C-alpha cells in the first residue's frame, strides 16, 4: 500500500501476485512484468498510478504512514476492507470517498486479499467498487 500511495509502481507490482485460477497457481510479480518496457508492464504502471490517485489523501505525509489492521489468517490467506487500512490516519474508504463526486460512503467497497505464494505474502486481489 505504501508503494501505491507513493506512486512507486514497480515496488507495488513486486508485492502483488496474479490470483490462482483455472488450475494454475498464483504468480508473484517479476522484475520483467513489473519493471519491463513491454505492454504488460505499461498496463501495470498505469493501473497502479490510477490507484495512487484514488488511494492518496490530500497533502500526504512524506513518507506516508500506512497501517493495516490485524485480521484472521485462514489457509495462508487474509482479507481486509477499506475501513481496515489507514493512510496518515484516514481510512482508505474515506480517502476514496474524498476523491469521488456524488457518491455516499455506503456505495464504496474496497476489498484487499493477500496470500502466501512461494513462501512470501503478496496482494493477490484488489476489488474496488463505487456506486
Amino acid at each position: 500500500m505504501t508503494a501505491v500511495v507513493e506512486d512507486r509502481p514497480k515496488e507495488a507490482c513486486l508485492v502483488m501476485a496474479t490470483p490462482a485460477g483455472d488450475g494454475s497457481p498464483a504468480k508473484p510479480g517479476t522484475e520483467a512484468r513489473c519493471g519491463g518496457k513491454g505492454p504488460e508492464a505499461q498496463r501495470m504502471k498505469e493501473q497502479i498510478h490510477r490507484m495512487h490517485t484514488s488511494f492518496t489523501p490530500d497533502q500526504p505525509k512524506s513518507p506516508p504512514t500506512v497501517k493495516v489492521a490485524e485480521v484472521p489468517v485462514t489457509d495462508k490467506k487474509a482479507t481486509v476492507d477499506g475501513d481496515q487500512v489507514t493512510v496518515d490516519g484516514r481510512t482508505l474508504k474515506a480517502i476514496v470517498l474524498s476523491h469521488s463526486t456524488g457518491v455516499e460512503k455506503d456505495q464504496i467497497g474496497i476489498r484487499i486479499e493477500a496470500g502466501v505464494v512461494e513462501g512470501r505474502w503478496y496482494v493477490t486481489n484488489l476489488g474496488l467498487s463505487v456506486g
Side-chain angles (χ1 to χ4, degrees), residues 45-129:
K45 287 176 190 173
E46 290 168 8
Q47 289 173 345
I48 291 172
H49 181 70
R50 284 192 300 270
M51 283 190 294
H52 158 73
T53 302
S54 297
F55 291 1
T56 303
D58 293 333
Q59 302 175 358
K61 294 178 184 176
S62 182
T65 303
V66 178
K67 294 183 181 180
V68 179
E70 286 190 36
V71 296
V73 175
T74 305
D75 296 327
K76 298 185 180 182
K77 295 179 184 176
T79 302
V80 296
D81 67 30
D83 288 322
Q84 295 173 303
V85 177
T86 61
V87 180
D88 295 341
R90 294 186 64 202
T91 68
L92 191 56
K93 189 172 186 175
I95 293 166
V96 170
L97 181 63
S98 74
H99 294 295
S100 303
T101 304
V103 178
E104 301 295 325
K105 183 178 181 178
D106 62 346
Q107 294 176 303
I108 293 178
I110 300 170
R111 180 181 173 98
I112 302 165
E113 298 173 9
V116 176
V117 180
E118 298 178 7
R120 294 184 57 198
W121 279 95
Y122 291 90
V123 172
T124 55
N125 200 1
L126 186 128
L128 175 63
S129 61

